[in-house]
Amino acid sequence: MDIYALATIHRGQVYHKATFVGPKAPTASDFVHAFEALGELKRNVMWHIGDLIVECERVTGERSAELVSACGLSVSELEDAVRLSERWAPDERDYSLPWSYYRDAGIDKALAVPLLVAAARNDWSRDQLRAAKKAVEAKIELSELEVK
């Protein structure tokens, strides 16, 4: 088995890491762990990309066009990744939720945090999260109208 290392670096600190090392023949359990780590990577790849771009900017003072084009993502996808990585520090994230839930919850943390907590606690789908957000926003809009 080869050596693989995946890490999230944010402001010089390593927060999230999975490593597979082994000169011996892998066991079935090794493969299960490898697939679990790949599933985790798939759920969190946009965090990794955003964190890496933020870290690159912190270290070099610029966003490397070469790095950005190497991702194979659109400019808007990369902007979302950077925006969310800047807004949500690694210790504020619930890695059991996909990155897309944070994008769907919106930029207002006061609104997003309770939605994300409820999504994790109740095992919501993205559609359920979006519906809850829409309901909360409608309620806020209604209360603003009543105040006027």
Side-chain angles (χ1 to χ4, degrees), residues 4-16:
Y4 300 95
L6 313 168
T8 296
I9 302 169
H10 187 77
R11 296 187 181 119
Q13 185 77 19
V14 176
Y15 281 92
H16 198 257

Side-chain angles (χ1 to χ4, degrees), residues 47-144:
W47 286 125
H48 294 291
I49 290 169
D51 291 344
L52 186 60
I53 293 170
V54 168
E55 183 68 5
C56 176
E57 289 177 358
R58 187 189 71 75
V59 171
T60 67
E62 60 185 55
R63 186 175 297 183
S64 167
E66 185 179 336
L67 247 183
V68 170
S69 67
C71 290
L73 300 172
S74 71
V75 171
S76 65
E77 288 172 316
L78 292 172
E79 287 171 354
D80 282 348
V82 169
R83 181 176 47 82
L84 289 175
S85 286
E86 290 172 336
R87 182 166 303 281
W88 298 92
D91 60 348
E92 297 176 317
R93 304 170 189 165
D94 179 344
Y95 288 100
S96 71
L97 292 173
W99 173 89
S100 58
Y101 280 44
Y102 284 81
R103 184 186 57 210
D104 293 344
I107 60 170
D108 180 357
K109 274 189 172 180
L111 175 64
V113 169
L115 286 170
L116 292 165
V117 168
R121 185 178 299 135
N122 299 310
D123 199 27
W124 284 352
S125 67
R126 281 183 70 196
D127 288 339
Q128 289 170 305
L129 173 68
R130 290 176 186 154
K133 179 183 176 204
K134 199 173 198 175
V136 170
E137 288 173 336
K139 198 178 234 184
I140 291 170
E141 223 173 87
L142 183 60
S143 69
E144 288 173 354

Side-chain angles (χ1 to χ4, degrees), residues 1 18-20 24-41 43:
M1 183 174 250
T19 307
F20 315 106
K24 62 178 176 49
T27 65
S29 178
D30 291 331
F31 284 107
V32 168
H33 292 302
F35 278 102
E36 287 171 347
L38 287 172
E40 185 176 330
L41 175 62
R43 276 192 313 279

